[in-house]
Amino acid sequence: MNDISEDDNFPTPQGELTLQTVALPSDANAEGDIFGGWLVSQMDLAGAVTANRLARGRVATVALDSMVFLRPVAVGSVVSCYTTVKDIGRSSMAIVVEVWAQHYSDAECRKVTEGQFTFVAIDENRRTRPVPRTS
Ligand SMILES: CC(C)(COP(=O)(O)OP(=O)(O)OC[C@H]1O[C@@H](n2cnc3c(N)ncnc32)[C@H](O)[C@@H]1OP(=O)(O)O)[C@@H](O)C(=O)NCCC(=O)NCCS
């Protein structure tokens, strides 16, 4: 997976491509726009993939900061979630998830939303545990 940098003139996704899927009709409302809740679910999954790797085990989502839906997502779009680790505490991990979408009828891939999730490393009894240090 690639880390992608940003050029001010040509905004590109920030972070690591963590999850990619296609938005299906079952993920949309009657007008064909993808549900915001479906996007949040994909973001939660992507953030958890990164948090699971950092925590080397089970995690729980404890918080989601405010987020804005910038553009609608059409059925058939390829939806890509990019994750960036912002902070690691004792048991918590703050991870920013950007979502970009591209429909085959559009040459451009566009940012559709972004949000910061906080995950907590937990044990088999759902008690918090320290995130392992990598050094
Ligand atoms: C996650 C959970 C085990 C944490 O338990 P807790 O008693 O709140 O634990 P703590 O107060 O010790 O907080 C643990 C960490 O989370 C952080 N945290 C807690 N609430 C937070 C919030 N609203 N925003 C950001 N961080 C938060 C704390 O700062 C702490 O970080 P640190 O260990 O790095 O210092 C518990 O809240 C829980 O089970 N929540 C439900 C999770 C869930 O069902 N998620 C949806 C499905 S995955």
Side-chain angles (χ1 to χ4, degrees), residues 95-112:
I95 297 174
V96 170
V97 184
E98 283 190 9
V99 183
W100 290 65
Q102 184 169 22
H103 192 261
Y104 54 78
S105 63
D106 187 350
E108 215 174 310
C109 188
R110 297 167 197 276
K111 184 174 174 179
V112 293

Side-chain angles (χ1 to χ4, degrees), residues 60-63 89-92 118 120 122 126 128:
T61 313
V62 74
R90 187 195 81 87
S91 69
S92 65
T118 303
V120 174
I122 56 172
R126 302 195 64 90
T128 65

Side-chain angles (χ1 to χ4, degrees), residues 44 48 59-65 87-94 116-122 125-131 133:
D44 194 21
V59 299
T61 313
V62 74
L64 163 57
D65 285 2
D87 192 32
I88 302 178
R90 187 195 81 87
S91 69
S92 65
M93 296 153 282
Q116 180 168 304
F117 290 69
T118 303
F119 297 89
V120 174
I122 56 172
N125 298 313
R126 302 195 64 90
R127 281 190 304 254
T128 65
R129 64 181 171 87
V131 176
R133 300 292 150 180

Side-chain angles (χ1 to χ4, degrees), residues 31-112:
E31 283 73 42
D33 293 325
I34 294 302
F35 290 122
W38 180 81
L39 280 173
V40 175
S41 172
Q42 303 309 306
M43 295 168 82
D44 194 21
L45 282 171
V49 167
T50 297
N52 284 140
R53 193 178 63 224
L54 288 171
R56 296 190 213 136
R58 187 174 178 179
V59 299
T61 313
V62 74
L64 163 57
D65 285 2
S66 65
M67 51 184 288
V68 178
F69 295 100
L70 303 168
R71 293 186 177 83
V73 176
V75 167
S77 300
V78 175
V79 172
S80 305
C81 297
Y82 295 82
T83 59
T84 303
V85 179
K86 283 292 176 190
D87 192 32
I88 302 178
R90 187 195 81 87
S91 69
S92 65
M93 296 153 282
I95 297 174
V96 170
V97 184
E98 283 190 9
V99 183
W100 290 65
Q102 184 169 22
H103 192 261
Y104 54 78
S105 63
D106 187 350
E108 215 174 310
C109 188
R110 297 167 197 276
K111 184 174 174 179
V112 293

